[in-house]
Amino acid sequence: MKQGALFSSAETNRNKIGVGPGLFLEIINGDRGTVFLYRSGNFVKKADLSDRVARSLFVVEAIDLGAIRSRLAQALSISRQTIHNYLETRKRYGLEGLIHGYIPAGSENLSAQRQQHKKKGSSGNKARLLEDIRREEREQKKQKQLHFNFSFGLEEVQTIENGEQPFSQEHDWEVSRYAGVFAYLLPLITEWKWLSLVIGRFGKAYKIFMVFLLMAARNIRSIEQLKNVRMREAGIILGLGRLPAKKKIWELFYSAASQKISQCLLRDYFRYQLQAGLVGLWLWFVDGHLLPYTGKESVRHSYNTQRRMPHPGQTIMVTCDQSGRVVDFEIKEGKGDLRAHIAALGRKWDDELSQRPMMVFDREGYGADFFWGLIQDKIPFVTWEKHADRKKLAALDDGKFEEEFEFNHKKYRVFEGKKSFTYQPEDSEKKERSFSLRRIYLWNLSSNRRACGLAYDNGRKMSTADCARAILSRWGASENTFKHKNDRHPGHYHPGFKLVESERQEIANPAVKKKEGVINRLKKELDKLYKKLAKTEEKLNKNGQPRQNSGKKKLKCSVQELETELETIKQEKSRLTDKVDVSTLENYRSFKRIDNEGKYLFDFVTSSVWNARKQMVDWLRPYFSQENELVDLLYTITNCHGWIKNTKTVVVVRLEALQQPKRRMAQEQLCRKLTALRALTPTGKWLVMEVGESPL
């Protein structure tokens, strides 16, 4: 019975041609007859194929409903180029462009018909017009690779000779164990305009950025470790022919760093990311991370969170979006000021954004004065509540946690309340400020732990669960981006240390510290005397009077002397300043500040590679279902060996195929996606990636 029903259904639909998901065509009297369009078995549209206008309108409407172009072209006996011309004509000239300029049914006078509609729209053969437009776009795309509209004008763009251009040396197939690194270049060139930016800014010194790209992609932790790299195999993948020697690499590095334009470079890069929609604009996660310094010079101290102790070095303030892409970063001397950085960041990109993103930060930013400042600047934020009473949270009625959601494979319940703050400005003439924030109560059902968060959404009407997800997405079960990034890429590496005199030479007054030591010692001695005095009995004479040389009387005198001395020391301490300049002290070295010009250039490349890696993971996800192995699969692909060929028009990189069929399929799909980006070198060569056997 089942077979009979199956064949019966097939016989019923023998005149219908599938052209897409749920879409079928029924054609009567051939390719010049009548066509009917059905969607899920329901009639949608009818058209006369002998009428060119009706046919073109039918085609574009079928495409809008989800018809596949190749199937539609085969069914209607037209070319895919014709369908493409229909769509481009509508895109550029609207529906009138499809109607005017074509021969209506029964008419043979094309020139008369075009003359009739000359005033109504663009005249001429649309196919020829589109050819001219496509030709102009290709030329513009080649030029765009060299002269993108960054902050520098055309007169400031540094040019290089053809022989110095990347991938200028032609060669036949050559083997390279770094072929997978080529995958990072394609999205950086097309999506981020990365090569245009570095060549336009640094000219011939762009080669140092290609070297840094190799280091970031293969987790090479220093320039010195490049001695273990095969120079020719790495150089041809980067388009340099051969990787420069270590001495030449340092020359390129100092040539780029000496231009002192790292801040302009980063500003262009970050601004373009925002304008092109390459990073998220809803939630920004801000945190500071230690960049340790192990040299002999005296520098400011940052804080090592893992060891819970100060450590010589700097702090890098990293801002990421919800997907983990780096939006912005800035290096601060010493520990840095997270609060001031968040407030400045909220205003930094106002010209590029329609509304300010919601800032998410940890307990280090907690404070009524800081919260009040963010509210005054209309900067929305979410953070953890500091010093939350665990006993009170545990005593809350379970029924209050009404809303339930799942995050990171863990179940949570939340409800919302209010928390009031009072803030007294430093200026005593101003009145005390009172305000309240949204208080988000979270209950982790998996671990049976409770916590609180605070939120101010500036009128965005974010739900309680959304506020909870915002804080959990960074400081919940998952770790933050910077630590993941440092595991995979050399984030702590600082090429070319250079130290200059720091503008911050103030330190805590050592005299104050010395006085505090004396005060603490006197207090301990007084405590001992107080206890001894309380236990000592009074010795009396025969007449009942206290003895002149009694022990208790001596103790009282000692206590009085120490109390007088302690009060004197406290008065001396109050007259001292809290901070002093080290130049006014003896045997103190002045503080040095680390010049971060080279570090900014290196971190620019590291962040670029990290963001490109995030983008490629998203492209790979539809072709590989195992989410927990997705990132490792991408790193496996980018670590593949392969072969490269460089001709006059194209640069082809072929990767060795992965052994598992499922992984190989995903590898091939990613290479097709990267090739479809149609990346161009500055000299106009196409960049292509493929998977296959050895061509040698």
Side-chain angles (χ1 to χ4, degrees), residues 262-357:
S262 63
Q263 293 302 313
C264 298
L265 176 75
L266 290 173
R267 188 167 57 250
D268 283 337
Y269 175 71
F270 293 145
R271 187 180 70 249
Y272 180 71
Q273 283 192 136
L274 297 174
Q275 292 176 344
L278 297 171
V279 292
L281 306 178
W282 178 247
L283 297 174
W284 282 5
F285 301 86
V286 187
D287 198 10
H289 303 278
L290 170 68
L291 295 177
Y293 170 74
T294 55
K296 298 180 180 180
E297 298 293 337
S298 178
V299 299
R300 291 283 176 182
H301 280 62
S302 183
Y303 189 77
N304 191 318
T305 307
Q306 283 72 33
R307 296 184 178 181
R308 297 185 179 181
M309 60 182 294
H311 192 284
Q314 305 177 100
T315 301
I316 180 169
M317 301 293 182
V318 183
T319 305
C320 303
D321 66 3
Q322 193 166 0
S323 65
R325 290 169 171 82
V326 177
V327 177
D328 193 326
F329 67 84
E330 188 174 350
I331 301 175
K332 303 288 187 180
E333 183 182 5
K335 187 178 180 182
D337 190 343
L338 179 66
R339 295 184 179 183
H341 177 74
I342 292 172
L345 183 66
R347 301 183 293 266
K348 183 176 181 180
W349 301 108
D350 280 348
D351 294 340
E352 314 300 334
L353 306 176
S354 58
Q355 63 177 355
R356 290 173 175 173

Side-chain angles (χ1 to χ4, degrees), residues 163-171 174-176 178 206-208 210-211 214 226-246 248-249 252 644 646:
E164 297 287 342
Q165 295 278 7
F167 300 102
S168 58
Q169 299 179 12
E170 298 177 17
H171 56 82
E174 292 191 30
V175 67
S176 173
Y178 308 100
Y206 83 91
K207 295 180 181 179
I208 188 61
M210 306 298 277
V211 175
L214 174 68
L226 289 172
K227 64 185 179 183
N228 300 317
V229 173
R230 303 280 179 163
M231 297 299 187
R232 174 61 181 174
E233 295 182 19
I236 57 175
I237 287 295
L238 300 174
L240 306 180
R242 181 181 178 83
L243 205 66
K246 187 176 74 170
K248 180 63 177 178
I249 290 175
L252 291 170
I644 180 173
N646 190 347

Side-chain angles (χ1 to χ4, degrees), residues 413-447:
R413 284 185 181 178
V414 293
F415 77 95
E416 186 172 333
K418 293 284 186 181
K419 182 173 178 64
S420 300
F421 290 88
T422 56
Y423 165 57
Q424 178 62 53
E426 295 180 358
D427 190 347
S428 58
E429 297 180 359
K430 295 183 179 180
K431 297 181 180 180
E432 188 178 67
R433 307 290 184 182
S434 298
F435 61 96
S436 62
L437 297 175
R438 298 171 62 183
R439 193 177 195 180
I440 313 298
Y441 294 87
L442 295 97
W443 181 13
N444 187 336
L445 300 178
S446 303
S447 62

Side-chain angles (χ1 to χ4, degrees), residues 475-640:
W475 286 280
S478 62
E479 186 50 89
N480 61 61
T481 292
F482 185 83
K483 293 177 181 177
H484 283 314
K485 175 183 172 184
N486 194 46
D487 289 340
R488 296 285 190 172
H489 307 285
H492 282 170
Y493 179 54
H494 194 303
F497 263 109
K498 180 183 178 182
L499 299 173
V500 296
E501 199 77 14
S502 175
E503 298 176 357
R504 296 171 51 196
Q505 295 294 340
E506 289 186 344
I507 61 170
N509 194 339
V512 172
K513 187 176 181 179
K514 186 176 181 179
K515 296 292 183 184
E516 287 177 348
V518 175
I519 291 172
N520 291 333
R521 177 178 59 80
L522 293 176
K523 285 182 177 180
K524 289 180 180 179
E525 291 180 5
L526 277 173
D527 287 340
K528 292 179 181 179
L529 291 177
Y530 287 147
K531 293 177 181 179
K532 191 174 182 180
L533 184 63
K535 295 178 180 180
T536 303
E537 296 182 359
E538 187 71 66
K539 300 293 183 179
L540 303 177
N541 293 326
K542 294 181 179 181
N543 59 3
Q545 297 295 325
R547 292 183 177 181
Q548 292 292 330
N549 59 348
S550 66
K552 191 162 188 175
K553 188 173 182 180
K554 291 180 180 179
L555 285 174
K556 288 181 179 179
C557 293
S558 299
V559 167
Q560 187 176 4
E561 290 177 0
L562 286 178
E563 288 177 342
T564 303
E565 184 179 359
L566 178 61
E567 187 63 29
T568 303
I569 297 297
K570 285 183 176 180
Q571 291 178 2
E572 291 176 357
K573 177 191 170 185
S574 64
R575 290 193 290 268
L576 295 174
T577 58
D578 293 335
K579 293 185 177 295
V580 294
D581 194 302
V582 294
S583 60
T584 62
L585 305 175
E586 294 182 1
N587 300 325
Y588 272 87
R589 292 185 299 173
S590 61
F591 285 107
K592 301 293 184 180
R593 177 177 60 83
I594 301 172
D595 188 313
N596 292 307
E597 188 69 21
K599 176 62 174 172
Y600 274 126
L601 298 181
F602 184 76
D603 283 358
F604 157 71
V605 178
T606 307
S607 300
S608 303
V609 170
W610 176 261
N611 287 356
R613 170 260 198 192
K614 285 284 184 180
Q615 182 64 66
M616 286 192 288
V617 168
D618 289 344
W619 288 337
L620 193 59
R621 184 171 284 110
Y623 311 112
F624 195 75
S625 58
Q626 296 176 337
E627 182 69 26
N628 59 334
E629 297 182 12
L630 193 61
V631 175
D632 288 333
L633 173 60
L634 177 66
Y635 281 115
T636 302
I637 294 172
T638 56
N639 284 323
C640 280

Side-chain angles (χ1 to χ4, degrees), residues 21-24 38-42:
L23 294 174
F24 296 90
Y38 296 90
R39 185 178 188 183
S40 300
N42 299 317

Side-chain angles (χ1 to χ4, degrees), residues 387-402:
H387 308 305
D389 193 326
R390 294 185 178 180
K391 293 183 178 179
K392 290 183 178 180
L393 291 174
L396 289 173
D397 184 12
D398 295 353
K400 289 187 175 181
F401 295 86
E402 298 177 351

